[in-house]
Amino acid sequence: MDPAEVRNEEIPQASHLALDIGGSLIKLVYFSRNDNSHTDDKEQRTLNEGLGVSSDGSCPILKGRLHFAKFETSKINDCLEFIRCYRLHLGGFQHHETPSNKIIIKATGGGAYKFANLFEEELGISLDKEDEMDCLVTGANFLLKEVQQEAFTYLDGHKEFVQIDHNDLYPYLLVKIGSGVSMIKVDGDGKFERVSGTNLGGGTFWGLGRLLTKCKSFDELLELSHQGNNRVVDMLVGDIYGGMDYSKIGLSATTIASSFGKAISDNKELEDYRSEDISRSLLRMISNNIGQVAYLNALRFGLKRIFFGGFFIRGHAYTMDTIAVAVHFWSKGEAKAMFLRHEGFLGALGTFMSYGKQSYEGLSVDQATQQFPMSLSHAGDKIYCPLSQDLNDSIECSVYATQHHS
Ligand SMILES: Nc1ncnc2c1ncn2[C@@H]1O[C@H](COP(=O)(O)OP(=O)(O)OP(=O)(O)O)[C@@H](O)[C@H]1O
Ligand SMILES: CC(C)(CO)[C@@H](O)C(=O)NCCC(=O)O
């Protein structure tokens, strides 16, 4: 929807805008109250009990929805326009100590630093910077504990939701595949260490893919990979071994021996290759490498579960399959790759939750009323973008606020 088309009556009463401004994408999370947001006494008591909150009435629970949206960082002006149009910038908080009484919005990611002045100039708001890794972990822990059917495995085209036992969640490895990749060992709420990373990430796939195929968008590049055959571009073990497996060291003839390796001997130019094949090979190369580096880090710390997030994944079957196969292959089935339905919004969710330090003590997702996008309910080599219809994506939830005692 063009923000300019939004009419006044369509604007939800939104608050608590949180931003995650990354190298490739800006992610937004905000809360909108239901019209009849306040709970009656009985409902309040039930919710309080469920949340483990005192029932002395000091904790009003607001019911509403969490909304998700994303923009390309290179099109930050569209994002500013969206925020202005929906008046999201008015839903921050104010520091009364600050003389200007400026509205403050929570933000994370490198862009919270890079674009702080732009937000100030364009929207008159200050960005309150939250640590990126902190927010990723907070967002992941929240999703894994509070949102039903959040984590799932994906192997051989078969998707299966994983029941998370709250008492047996830690430790795990969180792999955030954004422009670059961060690998974080998570031991508990706020207890984590970034143990590794790699610069071969989503930005590499999209950047190289754009140069090699002339694709105009990330989705187009991903879509192309469906029809591609990586064997045209990649050098396989069989290409080296005359069609045979190298079984002594466990390599089948179809294993990729060298990504893009065929291009050195084919005597072909870039134009002689189909964009579909290049895209497929590139996707496989990046996904496989991330799966392998993730496995090695899980091995370093004896971690059995690896959760993959970040917008590179995009719920894309071939990407998830490649990552999962790499983890399965290298760990000989010992470690498990899992994916998250809200893959791209971990950091933004964590940032949203950091409002708790100012006004909101907590956030609870009303599990009975969560929406499950149909796009995730079937398998196949297709693009799934559970949250890409940005403006319509939301989770029903409750937010509870308490008075702060100094
Ligand atoms: N519409 C899109 N436009 C650009 N990239 C996209 C799009 N959809 C998915 N991607 C992929 O997602 C990646 C960005 O993922 P994500 O938003 O999680 O990271 P980021 O926060 O921008 O990066 P970083 O954390 O490294 O700063 C891109 O590099 C690209 O591979
Ligand atoms: C620099 C960040 C943390 C920004 O999100 C990310 O892009 C990343 O983890 N890059 C990989 C850097 C490295 O560890 O090699």
Side-chain angles (χ1 to χ4, degrees), residues 107-124:
T108 195
Y113 296 84
K114 185 175 172 184
F115 297 114
N117 289 342
L118 186 70
F119 276 83
E120 182 122 28
E121 282 157 21
E122 292 292 322
L123 300 172

PDB file of all heavy atoms in Angstrom, residues 107-124:
ATOM      1  N   ALA A 107      15.639   1.651  19.147  1.00  0.00           N
ATOM      2  CA  ALA A 107      16.188   1.190  17.866  1.00  0.00           C
ATOM      3  C   ALA A 107      17.459   0.384  18.088  1.00  0.00           C
ATOM      4  O   ALA A 107      18.189   0.603  19.055  1.00  0.00           O
ATOM      5  CB  ALA A 107      16.493   2.390  16.972  1.00  0.00           C
ATOM      6  N   THR A 108      17.690  -0.559  17.186  1.00  0.00           N
ATOM      7  CA  THR A 108      18.931  -1.337  17.239  1.00  0.00           C
ATOM      8  C   THR A 108      19.500  -1.494  15.837  1.00  0.00           C
ATOM      9  O   THR A 108      18.922  -0.997  14.861  1.00  0.00           O
ATOM     10  CB  THR A 108      18.680  -2.714  17.891  1.00  0.00           C
ATOM     11  OG1 THR A 108      19.930  -3.294  18.251  1.00  0.00           O
ATOM     12  CG2 THR A 108      17.948  -3.680  16.969  1.00  0.00           C
ATOM     13  N   GLY A 109      20.626  -2.206  15.723  1.00  0.00           N
ATOM     14  CA  GLY A 109      21.280  -2.388  14.422  1.00  0.00           C
ATOM     15  C   GLY A 109      22.190  -1.195  14.124  1.00  0.00           C
ATOM     16  O   GLY A 109      22.062  -0.127  14.747  1.00  0.00           O
ATOM     17  N   GLY A 110      23.088  -1.385  13.171  1.00  0.00           N
ATOM     18  CA  GLY A 110      24.048  -0.345  12.841  1.00  0.00           C
ATOM     19  C   GLY A 110      23.383   0.964  12.437  1.00  0.00           C
ATOM     20  O   GLY A 110      23.889   2.055  12.714  1.00  0.00           O
ATOM     21  N   GLY A 111      22.219   0.865  11.807  1.00  0.00           N
ATOM     22  CA  GLY A 111      21.523   2.061  11.335  1.00  0.00           C
ATOM     23  C   GLY A 111      20.993   2.949  12.456  1.00  0.00           C
ATOM     24  O   GLY A 111      20.704   4.128  12.233  1.00  0.00           O
ATOM     25  N   ALA A 112      20.886   2.392  13.644  1.00  0.00           N
ATOM     26  CA  ALA A 112      20.451   3.213  14.783  1.00  0.00           C
ATOM     27  C   ALA A 112      21.501   4.290  15.059  1.00  0.00           C
ATOM     28  O   ALA A 112      21.178   5.369  15.571  1.00  0.00           O
ATOM     29  CB  ALA A 112      20.236   2.330  16.012  1.00  0.00           C
ATOM     30  N   TYR A 113      22.737   3.987  14.707  1.00  0.00           N
ATOM     31  CA  TYR A 113      23.822   4.969  14.848  1.00  0.00           C
ATOM     32  C   TYR A 113      23.923   5.800  13.572  1.00  0.00           C
ATOM     33  O   TYR A 113      23.951   7.024  13.600  1.00  0.00           O
ATOM     34  CB  TYR A 113      25.161   4.251  15.095  1.00  0.00           C
ATOM     35  CG  TYR A 113      25.161   3.488  16.401  1.00  0.00           C
ATOM     36  CD1 TYR A 113      24.620   2.205  16.476  1.00  0.00           C
ATOM     37  CD2 TYR A 113      25.658   4.070  17.566  1.00  0.00           C
ATOM     38  CE1 TYR A 113      24.595   1.515  17.676  1.00  0.00           C
ATOM     39  CE2 TYR A 113      25.636   3.380  18.771  1.00  0.00           C
ATOM     40  CZ  TYR A 113      25.094   2.102  18.815  1.00  0.00           C
ATOM     41  OH  TYR A 113      25.059   1.430  20.011  1.00  0.00           O
ATOM     42  N   LYS A 114      23.955   5.067  12.441  1.00  0.00           N
ATOM     43  CA  LYS A 114      24.206   5.725  11.149  1.00  0.00           C
ATOM     44  C   LYS A 114      23.125   6.745  10.796  1.00  0.00           C
ATOM     45  O   LYS A 114      23.411   7.786  10.221  1.00  0.00           O
ATOM     46  CB  LYS A 114      24.278   4.630  10.076  1.00  0.00           C
ATOM     47  CG  LYS A 114      24.650   5.106   8.709  1.00  0.00           C
ATOM     48  CD  LYS A 114      24.819   3.922   7.761  1.00  0.00           C
ATOM     49  CE  LYS A 114      24.991   4.381   6.332  1.00  0.00           C
ATOM     50  NZ  LYS A 114      25.062   3.234   5.414  1.00  0.00           N
ATOM     51  N   PHE A 115      21.863   6.411  11.127  1.00  0.00           N
ATOM     52  CA  PHE A 115      20.761   7.261  10.674  1.00  0.00           C
ATOM     53  C   PHE A 115      20.105   8.072  11.795  1.00  0.00           C
ATOM     54  O   PHE A 115      19.017   8.621  11.607  1.00  0.00           O
ATOM     55  CB  PHE A 115      19.690   6.403   9.978  1.00  0.00           C
ATOM     56  CG  PHE A 115      20.192   5.714   8.739  1.00  0.00           C
ATOM     57  CD1 PHE A 115      20.299   4.328   8.686  1.00  0.00           C
ATOM     58  CD2 PHE A 115      20.587   6.444   7.619  1.00  0.00           C
ATOM     59  CE1 PHE A 115      20.764   3.677   7.541  1.00  0.00           C
ATOM     60  CE2 PHE A 115      21.060   5.803   6.472  1.00  0.00           C
ATOM     61  CZ  PHE A 115      21.157   4.426   6.434  1.00  0.00           C
ATOM     62  N   ALA A 116      20.770   8.125  12.952  1.00  0.00           N
ATOM     63  CA  ALA A 116      20.157   8.826  14.097  1.00  0.00           C
ATOM     64  C   ALA A 116      19.807  10.275  13.729  1.00  0.00           C
ATOM     65  O   ALA A 116      18.700  10.754  14.037  1.00  0.00           O
ATOM     66  CB  ALA A 116      21.097   8.789  15.297  1.00  0.00           C
ATOM     67  N   ASN A 117      20.716  10.945  13.033  1.00  0.00           N
ATOM     68  CA  ASN A 117      20.463  12.349  12.678  1.00  0.00           C
ATOM     69  C   ASN A 117      19.306  12.483  11.697  1.00  0.00           C
ATOM     70  O   ASN A 117      18.496  13.414  11.793  1.00  0.00           O
ATOM     71  CB  ASN A 117      21.711  12.994  12.056  1.00  0.00           C
ATOM     72  CG  ASN A 117      22.780  13.206  13.109  1.00  0.00           C
ATOM     73  OD1 ASN A 117      22.475  13.180  14.307  1.00  0.00           O
ATOM     74  ND2 ASN A 117      24.014  13.381  12.672  1.00  0.00           N
ATOM     75  N   LEU A 118      19.225  11.530  10.767  1.00  0.00           N
ATOM     76  CA  LEU A 118      18.150  11.567   9.771  1.00  0.00           C
ATOM     77  C   LEU A 118      16.778  11.460  10.463  1.00  0.00           C
ATOM     78  O   LEU A 118      15.832  12.188  10.124  1.00  0.00           O
ATOM     79  CB  LEU A 118      18.336  10.415   8.771  1.00  0.00           C
ATOM     80  CG  LEU A 118      17.382  10.389   7.595  1.00  0.00           C
ATOM     81  CD1 LEU A 118      17.674  11.547   6.639  1.00  0.00           C
ATOM     82  CD2 LEU A 118      17.508   9.067   6.813  1.00  0.00           C
ATOM     83  N   PHE A 119      16.660  10.561  11.424  1.00  0.00           N
ATOM     84  CA  PHE A 119      15.389  10.404  12.147  1.00  0.00           C
ATOM     85  C   PHE A 119      15.051  11.676  12.922  1.00  0.00           C
ATOM     86  O   PHE A 119      13.900  12.070  13.021  1.00  0.00           O
ATOM     87  CB  PHE A 119      15.440   9.184  13.079  1.00  0.00           C
ATOM     88  CG  PHE A 119      15.105   7.894  12.377  1.00  0.00           C
ATOM     89  CD1 PHE A 119      16.074   7.196  11.659  1.00  0.00           C
ATOM     90  CD2 PHE A 119      13.814   7.388  12.395  1.00  0.00           C
ATOM     91  CE1 PHE A 119      15.764   6.013  10.982  1.00  0.00           C
ATOM     92  CE2 PHE A 119      13.485   6.209  11.717  1.00  0.00           C
ATOM     93  CZ  PHE A 119      14.469   5.518  11.014  1.00  0.00           C
ATOM     94  N   GLU A 120      16.090  12.278  13.465  1.00  0.00           N
ATOM     95  CA  GLU A 120      15.897  13.515  14.227  1.00  0.00           C
ATOM     96  C   GLU A 120      15.411  14.639  13.297  1.00  0.00           C
ATOM     97  O   GLU A 120      14.432  15.329  13.581  1.00  0.00           O
ATOM     98  CB  GLU A 120      17.233  13.894  14.875  1.00  0.00           C
ATOM     99  CG  GLU A 120      17.173  15.126  15.723  1.00  0.00           C
ATOM    100  CD  GLU A 120      17.603  14.849  17.147  1.00  0.00           C
ATOM    101  OE1 GLU A 120      18.401  13.934  17.370  1.00  0.00           O
ATOM    102  OE2 GLU A 120      17.103  15.561  18.037  1.00  0.00           O
ATOM    103  N   GLU A 121      16.080  14.736  12.148  1.00  0.00           N
ATOM    104  CA  GLU A 121      15.729  15.817  11.206  1.00  0.00           C
ATOM    105  C   GLU A 121      14.356  15.589  10.572  1.00  0.00           C
ATOM    106  O   GLU A 121      13.550  16.515  10.444  1.00  0.00           O
ATOM    107  CB  GLU A 121      16.774  15.896  10.077  1.00  0.00           C
ATOM    108  CG  GLU A 121      18.068  16.576  10.486  1.00  0.00           C
ATOM    109  CD  GLU A 121      19.239  16.152   9.587  1.00  0.00           C
ATOM    110  OE1 GLU A 121      18.990  15.675   8.462  1.00  0.00           O
ATOM    111  OE2 GLU A 121      20.400  16.289  10.034  1.00  0.00           O
ATOM    112  N   GLU A 122      14.098  14.366  10.172  1.00  0.00           N
ATOM    113  CA  GLU A 122      12.864  14.083   9.417  1.00  0.00           C
ATOM    114  C   GLU A 122      11.634  13.921  10.294  1.00  0.00           C
ATOM    115  O   GLU A 122      10.523  14.302   9.913  1.00  0.00           O
ATOM    116  CB  GLU A 122      13.055  12.824   8.564  1.00  0.00           C
ATOM    117  CG  GLU A 122      14.044  12.977   7.425  1.00  0.00           C
ATOM    118  CD  GLU A 122      13.528  13.913   6.348  1.00  0.00           C
ATOM    119  OE1 GLU A 122      12.326  13.883   6.047  1.00  0.00           O
ATOM    120  OE2 GLU A 122      14.352  14.691   5.810  1.00  0.00           O
ATOM    121  N   LEU A 123      11.806  13.287  11.451  1.00  0.00           N
ATOM    122  CA  LEU A 123      10.638  12.982  12.285  1.00  0.00           C
ATOM    123  C   LEU A 123      10.685  13.664  13.654  1.00  0.00           C
ATOM    124  O   LEU A 123       9.731  13.557  14.437  1.00  0.00           O
ATOM    125  CB  LEU A 123      10.517  11.460  12.493  1.00  0.00           C
ATOM    126  CG  LEU A 123      10.348  10.603  11.217  1.00  0.00           C
ATOM    127  CD1 LEU A 123      10.435   9.129  11.564  1.00  0.00           C
ATOM    128  CD2 LEU A 123       9.017  10.890  10.533  1.00  0.00           C
ATOM    129  N   GLY A 124      11.789  14.302  13.932  1.00  0.00           N
ATOM    130  CA  GLY A 124      11.925  15.000  15.212  1.00  0.00           C
ATOM    131  C   GLY A 124      11.995  14.056  16.407  1.00  0.00           C
ATOM    132  O   GLY A 124      11.581  14.411  17.511  1.00  0.00           O
TER     133      GLY A 124
END
